[in-house]
Amino acid sequence: RRKGLWLRLRKILLCVLGLYVAIPFLVKLCPGIQAKLIFLNFVRIPYFIDLKKPQDQGLNHTCNYYLQPEEDVTIGVWHTVPAVWWRNAQGKDQMWYEDTLASNHPIVLYLHGNAGTRGGDHRVELYKVLSSLGYHVVTFDYRGWGDSAGTPSEQGMTYDALHVFDWIKARSGDNPVYIWGHSLGTGVATNLVRRLCERETPPDALILESPFTNIREEAKSHPFSVIYRYFPGFDWFFLDPITSSGIKFANDENVKHISCSLLILHAEDDPVVPFQLGRKLYNIAAPSRSFRDFKVQFIPFHSDLGYRHKYIYKSPELPRILREFLGKSEQERHH
C-alpha cells in the first residue's frame, strides 16, 4: 500500500513539475495570455451590479453616461457631483449633470486599475470621499471593461482617457481638472498627462496612488511571479511577451515629460505594487527638469495602518493631504 501511495505521489509531483515547466513556454508562445493577466478586464467583481444604476452602489448623486471615443468603441462613464448638491441632484437628467461641471468646483478624472469595473467597492468609496470634499468625480471603464465595448490595449485605454478629459474640458470652464490614477491606472494617467503636456494643455495636478515604475518591473515584483522569479530565462519567458504585446506603461519615462504638480500616495504594506517602486518613481520624478516649477510630493502610509493596495481612501489624513497639496497647486497655477 505504501508503494502505491508513493507512486501516486510521484505522479502528482511530476504533473505539477510538468505544468510548472510548461507554463513559461505557453506564455512565450501566446503573448496574449500575459496581456490578459495584466488587464484582467474579464474579471467582473462585484459581478451582479447594474452599471447603469450607480444609485445601487449608494451613489445617489451620480449620472451614468455613454461616450464614443471612436467608431466601434463605447465607454460607460459615471459622473458624481459634489456632495453639497446631493439634494439638488435627485431626479436630474444628463444635461443638468453636464452643466454642473462649469460651476465653481474642481473635477477629478479617476482612472481605475485592472480587474473589476467603475463600480468596484474601493473605487466607489473613494468617489464618496472626494465628493464629500467638494470635488466632481468623473470615472469610466476603459474599452473592454465593464459595459464598455472594444478590445483592451494600452494605446486604446490612453485614448479613452484623453477623450474623457477633452469631454470634461469642453464643459468645465475655468475649473481645475485633476487626474487621479490607481495601480494600473497610474500607467494610463502618466501616458495621458505626458500627451497633454506635449500638446500644452496640462491638467492642474496629477495624483498617482500605488504607482509602479514600468510594467516590466511591476510584473517582476507581482505576487503571481514569485514562483518563477528564479526560473532560468524569466525575462525572456515572462517579460519580453509583455513588451512584444505593446504594453509598456512606462511611468518612469513619462514623468520626465510631465509639467504639473505631482502627488504620489503609497502604502508601505502594499502586496501588489511594492512600496519601493512608488518610492523609486518619486526619486526619478523629483529631480526631473520638467517639474522645475512644480511641486512633487511623496506620501507614505505606515504598514500599521493596513491600507495595503487599495484602502488609502480610508485614511483620515487624506482630506488634509489633498487640501494642502491641491491648494498649493492652485497657487502655482495663478502665478
Side-chain angles (χ1 to χ4, degrees), residues 75-91:
I75 54 175
V77 181
W78 280 0
H79 170 197
T80 303
V81 293
V84 288
W85 290 345
W86 184 88
R87 191 160 271 124
N88 271 350
Q90 301 315 303

Side-chain angles (χ1 to χ4, degrees), residues 311-331:
Y311 300 112
I312 286 175
Y313 73 81
K314 291 181 173 176
S315 168
E317 294 295 305
L318 193 60
R320 179 191 57 79
I321 292 165
L322 293 177
R323 211 172 27 249
E324 288 177 7
F325 174 76
L326 295 173
K328 287 206 172 105
S329 76
E330 275 310 279
Q331 286 157 17

Side-chain angles (χ1 to χ4, degrees), residues 11 47 88 95 110 173 197 246 258 266 277 298 305 324:
K11 224 178 191 168
Y47 190 75
N88 271 350
M95 280 313 295
Y110 177 79
C197 291
I258 285 174
H266 215 138
L277 289 187
F298 181 81
L305 296 164
E324 288 177 7

